Amino acid sequence: MNIDEIKRITVIGAGQMGHQIAMLSALGGFQTVLYDVNQEFLVKAKEKLTAIMNKWVAKKKINQKAYDEAFSRLSFSQDLKEAVKDSDFIIEAVTEKLEVKRDVFAKLDQLAPAHAILASNSSTIVNSLIASATNRPEQVVNMHFFFPPLVMDCVEVVKSDETSEETAQVTMDVCKKMNRTAVLLHKEISGFIANRILGALQKEAVYLYENGYADFADIDLIVKKALNHPIGPFELMDLSGIDVGYYVMQQQYEESGNPADKPPRCMEEKMNAGQLGRKTGQGFYTYEKDGVKA
Ligand SMILES: NC(=O)c1ccc[n+]([C@@H]2O[C@H](COP(=O)([O-])OP(=O)(O)OC[C@H]3O[C@@H](n4cnc5c(N)ncnc54)[C@H](O)[C@@H]3O)[C@@H](O)[C@H]2O)c1
């Protein structure tokens, strides 16, 4: 299979990542279906995408014709069978839990056409752990977008020992058509490249904070002013969602058994208090309307 044979893409999961990946796909010229188990998420996804794309038109990032064409290619579905029956390429963006993803992939394997490639947007889970729930491991790959996908221009494409060269190449080409820079990882490693480097930075930042060396806001300030990072590690945890980072660490701990990989105390406390970052108005920082710091 080559990129010219990829006409239809289905995105599974309309959360923070999925809805924007679906928009990238529609903008890239693919007939796109966004599927979720939850109707409310689909309604919200459409509202959010309309608002973002209206801003893109106002800022002249795209013209009205491109806007109209992209939305004419994008549909929303709560029926998995219908959503994947004609799909050539499927991108899974559901909750970061291995059992949930394996269950989704087993269903996709039964319902999607035999030629379809199954890609996971997981932040950490290597595709071989998910592919073993299917009968097509050579057509399973990681396709890791960054948050928010409509802004961040990078995708890590990861091959397992079983992922075919063809699957990896088509996935790289799909990224290109979605106007994203794809980087290929030749071997699997949990957390891939960017999140492993980020994780090491966050771990150290949390160690320094929990042991009273400096306040979290001052650690953010040092990282921004001294290291020239655009955003501090605590600000970033609030932005991407403390629950997201928590599940990533939990998953890494389950895989490694290393207590150093366990989510730290301050994140455990935020999870228990439902303070998940910008999306709840409270994380390490407090936010007013539109995610602006109080
Ligand atoms: N948020 C980030 O910063 C980020 C960045 C890169 C990758 N990711 C990865 O993307 C994936 C999704 O993360 P998110 O932040 O969008 O999560 P989210 O919680 O915002 O969205 C998950 C969506 O999946 C849906 N869902 C759950 N089970 C489902 C099922 N069985 N079938 C269909 N839909 C189902 C939920 O209804 C929800 O809409 C995760 O694997 C995560 O690791 C997240």
Side-chain angles (χ1 to χ4, degrees), residues 1-8 88 115:
M1 192 158 58
N2 66 52
I3 186 65
D4 298 329
E5 291 164 75
I6 308 290
K7 306 280 183 215
R8 294 171 181 274
D88 305 307
H115 71 271

Short mmCIF file of all heavy atoms in Angstrom, two decimals, residues 1-8 88 115:
data_model
loop_
_atom_site.label_atom_id
_atom_site.label_comp_id
_atom_site.label_asym_id
_atom_site.label_seq_id
_atom_site.Cartn_x
_atom_site.Cartn_y
_atom_site.Cartn_z
N MET A 1 0.84 -1.20 0.00
CA MET A 1 0.00 0.00 0.00
C MET A 1 0.88 1.25 0.00
O MET A 1 1.95 1.26 0.61
CB MET A 1 -0.89 0.00 1.26
CG MET A 1 -1.98 1.02 1.19
SD MET A 1 -3.37 0.69 2.27
CE MET A 1 -2.61 0.62 3.84
N ASN A 2 0.41 2.30 -0.68
CA ASN A 2 1.13 3.57 -0.61
C ASN A 2 0.16 4.69 -0.27
O ASN A 2 -1.05 4.48 -0.20
CB ASN A 2 1.93 3.84 -1.89
CG ASN A 2 1.01 4.03 -3.07
OD1 ASN A 2 0.08 4.85 -3.01
ND2 ASN A 2 1.24 3.29 -4.13
N ILE A 3 0.70 5.88 -0.09
CA ILE A 3 -0.09 7.01 0.41
C ILE A 3 -1.28 7.33 -0.50
O ILE A 3 -2.34 7.75 -0.02
CB ILE A 3 0.80 8.25 0.65
CG1 ILE A 3 0.03 9.40 1.31
CG2 ILE A 3 1.47 8.72 -0.62
CD1 ILE A 3 -0.46 9.14 2.69
N ASP A 4 -1.14 7.10 -1.81
CA ASP A 4 -2.23 7.43 -2.73
C ASP A 4 -3.46 6.56 -2.50
O ASP A 4 -4.56 6.90 -2.92
CB ASP A 4 -1.76 7.27 -4.18
CG ASP A 4 -0.64 8.23 -4.49
OD1 ASP A 4 -0.63 9.32 -3.87
OD2 ASP A 4 0.26 7.88 -5.29
N GLU A 5 -3.26 5.44 -1.83
CA GLU A 5 -4.41 4.55 -1.54
C GLU A 5 -5.10 4.92 -0.23
O GLU A 5 -6.11 4.33 0.12
CB GLU A 5 -3.93 3.10 -1.50
CG GLU A 5 -3.50 2.60 -2.88
CD GLU A 5 -2.68 1.34 -2.78
OE1 GLU A 5 -3.27 0.27 -2.51
OE2 GLU A 5 -1.45 1.42 -2.96
N ILE A 6 -4.55 5.86 0.50
CA ILE A 6 -5.19 6.28 1.76
C ILE A 6 -6.16 7.42 1.46
O ILE A 6 -5.75 8.56 1.19
CB ILE A 6 -4.14 6.75 2.82
CG1 ILE A 6 -3.04 5.71 3.02
CG2 ILE A 6 -4.83 7.11 4.14
CD1 ILE A 6 -3.46 4.45 3.71
N LYS A 7 -7.44 7.10 1.47
CA LYS A 7 -8.46 8.11 1.16
C LYS A 7 -9.26 8.46 2.42
O LYS A 7 -9.69 9.59 2.58
CB LYS A 7 -9.45 7.56 0.11
CG LYS A 7 -8.79 7.03 -1.15
CD LYS A 7 -8.43 8.14 -2.09
CE LYS A 7 -7.85 7.59 -3.39
NZ LYS A 7 -6.81 8.45 -3.92
N ARG A 8 -9.49 7.43 3.25
CA ARG A 8 -10.39 7.63 4.40
C ARG A 8 -9.66 7.34 5.71
O ARG A 8 -9.05 6.29 5.85
CB ARG A 8 -11.59 6.69 4.30
CG ARG A 8 -12.48 7.01 3.15
CD ARG A 8 -13.54 5.93 2.96
NE ARG A 8 -14.35 6.29 1.83
CZ ARG A 8 -15.40 7.09 1.89
NH1 ARG A 8 -15.80 7.57 3.05
NH2 ARG A 8 -16.07 7.40 0.80
N ASP A 88 -9.18 3.41 5.58
CA ASP A 88 -7.88 2.90 5.13
C ASP A 88 -6.83 3.05 6.23
O ASP A 88 -5.79 2.37 6.21
CB ASP A 88 -7.38 3.70 3.91
CG ASP A 88 -8.40 3.70 2.79
OD1 ASP A 88 -8.83 2.59 2.40
OD2 ASP A 88 -8.78 4.79 2.34
N HIS A 115 -6.91 -4.28 4.86
CA HIS A 115 -5.72 -3.51 4.47
C HIS A 115 -5.44 -2.34 5.42
O HIS A 115 -4.37 -1.73 5.35
CB HIS A 115 -5.87 -2.98 3.03
CG HIS A 115 -6.89 -1.89 2.93
ND1 HIS A 115 -8.22 -2.14 2.70
CD2 HIS A 115 -6.80 -0.54 3.05
CE1 HIS A 115 -8.89 -0.99 2.67
NE2 HIS A 115 -8.04 -0.01 2.89
#
